[in-house]
Amino acid sequence: SKDYYILVPISNPTHKVYVPTDSEYLTGKMQKLLSYDEIILLISCEENDIVWINDNKQRNRYFKEILNSYDRIKIFMLAKLLYNIKQGNNKNVKKLYASDEEILKKLTKILYSELSYVISLEENDVLPFINGEIKCTKKER
């Protein structure tokens, strides 16, 4: 007999995902949810190591690497960068291209699943929240 972690997706509580506890590969991909305080700290961080690359193909590859890394800090920073450009808050970049918009949609979905659970946000409020335009209070459980 084997031991498994039983994961239930927030977005679809009728599904279950069984992860063998002895699989280093799969358990290595599991991450603890960020706390409310960790999310607020991450959002308030002014530094952004994510840079805009002018070459569309290189930028798309770079952004996809960030997206596929599941590094939440980089994902938050990329979301902030793209959202600010979309809102016209970046002097150096005038607009997002279709590939950038697609990345932004994927980022929103990733962030929405975690933030909606921890903070109770609607999907269209995720990016404004990350950018500091919307304030939320700690969710009591």
Side-chain angles (χ1 to χ4, degrees):
S1 101
K2 250 187 173 183
D3 290 329
Y4 291 87
Y5 293 110
I6 302 171
L7 308 176
V8 180
I10 296 166
S11 60
N12 192 346
T14 60
H15 282 57
K16 291 182 181 175
V17 178
Y18 294 88
V19 179
T21 58
D22 62 354
S23 171
E24 287 183 35
Y25 175 75
L26 293 175
T27 57
K29 293 188 172 283
M30 294 169 53
Q31 296 180 12
K32 183 181 169 220
L33 282 176
L34 292 173
S35 71
Y36 175 85
D37 294 330
E38 289 170 323
I39 291 170
I40 297 303
L41 185 64
L42 192 53
I43 289 169
S44 64
C45 180
E46 292 296 322
E47 292 181 33
N48 196 338
D49 296 335
I50 309 303
V51 294
W52 182 265
I53 299 171
N54 287 327
D55 181 89
N56 193 31
K57 286 183 181 181
Q58 286 181 340
R59 182 178 64 251
N60 196 2
R61 203 170 318 125
Y62 173 57
F63 288 172
K64 282 184 179 177
E65 282 176 22
I66 292 169
L67 189 64
N68 294 330
S69 74
Y70 296 102
D71 180 327
R72 287 177 278 178
I73 294 171
K74 287 183 178 181
I75 288 173
F76 267 85
M77 295 302 132
L78 179 55
K80 282 175 101 168
L81 173 72
L82 293 177
Y83 183 74
N84 278 320
I85 292 169
K86 185 175 182 169
Q87 297 301 102
N89 298 333
N90 189 309
K91 297 175 216 164
N92 301 326
V93 183
K94 296 194 188 310
K95 68 172 188 150
L96 293 180
Y97 293 89
S99 58
D100 303 319
E101 288 278 358
E102 191 62 34
I103 294 283
L104 188 57
K105 283 181 188 175
K106 289 177 182 177
L107 289 170
T108 304
K109 280 218 176 292
I110 291 169
L111 296 173
Y112 172 68
S113 63
E114 189 159 351
L115 293 178
S116 66
Y117 183 76
V118 175
I119 302 178
S120 295
L121 282 175
E122 295 296 322
E123 188 166 355
N124 59 346
D125 291 335
V126 171
L127 292 172
F129 175 74
I130 289 171
N131 208 41
E133 298 168 11
I134 294 175
K135 303 291 181 211
C136 290
T137 57
K138 195 178 231 176
K139 179 178 167 181
E140 296 299 324
R141 290 183 212 229

